[in-house]
Amino acid sequence: MKDILRSIMQKWFTLWALTIIVFLMPIVTYADYPSALSSMKRVVASTSEQEAKFSSNILVSGGGVYVPRYKDQKITDEEKAEPYIVNVYTYNYSISGGISPYQRDINYKVSFELTDRRGTPKTAAQVGARSVTIYDENGNSITLNASKLSSKPTDDPPDAICSQQLVYDFSETDSDGFILEYDGNWNLTADEDICVKMTAVPANGYDDLKPLEAFIGLKNTVSTGSGGWQAYLSEHQDETALDSPEDYDGYNLVIRGSGTSTVTIQWDSSCFEINPNFYTADGIYKYPEISGVSGDTWKSITISADATAYRNRYNIQVYKKAPLANWDFFNAVSTDDQLTITIGYQ
């Protein structure tokens, strides 16, 4: 009887073991042999990422973009002795994706030209006494001015700064740095339309990489009245070309300063609206120095700003009501005793 039971137990164990193996086989097979679809997904993602592995902190793929760099206007002679500096970097990886380098050295050509905000070349007369000196990491430099309006790889002979290389290393990424030094006498308002058109083009044989370009200019961070009052949009105080007004549903207008000044805010109500709590009689930001809204399409309020009697900073929400083409809708102009802020295309 014991022999019969032992035989049954052995057969039952064998049957149980075979059943477990059958159930495990699909799992083992799935792990060892991924599907063709999974492989295809990896290939597609890699190809898409590869296209963006020539990038920059300022230059834009496809180019043709005006990129203002916001600075504070130099006033004293001591300040003007120092240049306005803009740092431009190029990378051999995608700044919007994973940080894995392009799997080859990237040889590329760089050109520089003085243009306006739309990329139209400037004349010597338009440039006048203004100059921009550009340096690379290899010790090469050029100076653009009325006598030398551009530096291009096609020049005979070309400047050494025009030839650059990003080196491939499987263990780390690479970058090239350029320093643009605009002379300290640059007028951030009058010279706003003088830009450096910088273009970086991969050499032949890089069909999966796109050229980079931008029109890099200087713009006043703030406008300051005689009392030291300033105004700017916090979303666009120092933006890159990758930012546009369409990236935001609204904006924060910051007005700050010391002393006294008359501050006028005017806006096109068909495109924008100011937070009504700021200027209405029952608004939480209502102060005695603020007048009411006036006008039809264009509206305005006036603030008799006095940092001693009232406050030294205003934060005002600006709501967008229509699509915006560019950041030119905001402007702040100061005179001896007046700061005028305009929000809208004129």
Side-chain angles (χ1 to χ4, degrees), residues 28 31 64 69 82 123 126 132 134 167 222 243 273 287 293:
V28 175
R69 307 307 292 172
E82 298 295 329
T123 65
Q126 290 172 326
V132 183
I134 304 162
V167 179
V222 296
D243 292 293
E273 185 54 76
Y287 279 77
V293 177

Side-chain angles (χ1 to χ4, degrees), residues 117-306:
R117 287 178 292 180
R118 295 173 179 79
T120 303
K122 286 288 188 181
T123 65
Q126 290 172 326
V127 172
R130 301 292 177 252
S131 67
V132 183
T133 301
I134 304 162
Y135 303 87
D136 69 8
E137 292 181 340
N138 303 313
N140 302 309
S141 67
I142 58 168
T143 297
L144 301 182
N145 51 32
S147 301
K148 183 179 178 67
L149 297 170
S150 67
S151 176
K152 300 179 180 180
T154 54
D155 293 344
D156 187 19
D159 294 305
I161 198 172
C162 294
S163 296
Q164 299 291 335
Q165 182 185 61
L166 292 166
V167 179
Y168 169 65
D169 185 330
F170 75 93
S171 63
E172 61 182 4
T173 58
D174 192 22
S175 65
D176 286 337
F178 302 86
I179 300 175
L180 280 58
E181 292 189 351
Y182 298 69
D183 72 71
N185 288 310
W186 209 272
N187 186 309
L188 299 184
T189 301
D191 300 335
E192 185 179 303
D193 205 34
I194 303 177
C195 303
V196 175
K197 177 183 176 182
M198 181 175 175
T199 308
V201 181
N204 294 330
Y206 299 91
D207 296 335
D208 53 347
L209 300 179
K210 297 180 180 179
L212 305 172
E213 186 179 76
F215 314 141
I216 308 168
L218 299 184
K219 200 168 185 178
N220 205 347
T221 300
V222 296
S223 291
T224 305
S226 59
W229 284 84
Q230 309 167 340
Y232 59 89
L233 295 177
S234 62
E235 289 76 15
H236 198 60
Q237 187 173 355
D238 189 10
E239 300 293 338
T240 70
L242 298 179
D243 292 293
S244 75
E246 290 302 299
D247 293 332
Y248 306 92
D249 294 325
Y251 315 95
N252 291 285
L253 170 61
V254 179
I255 304 171
R256 59 186 175 87
S258 60
T260 61
S261 180
T262 299
V263 179
T264 299
I265 308 171
Q266 55 189 17
W267 70 95
D268 183 353
S269 62
S270 66
C271 299
F272 303 92
E273 185 54 76
I274 299 293
N275 184 352
N277 286 330
F278 181 76
Y279 57 81
T280 55
D282 57 349
I284 60 175
Y285 296 111
K286 179 66 180 176
Y287 279 77
E289 76 274 20
I290 300 175
S291 69
V293 177
S294 61
D296 188 6
T297 302
W298 280 85
K299 298 181 178 180
S300 68
I301 58 176
T302 299
I303 304 172
S304 299
D306 188 332

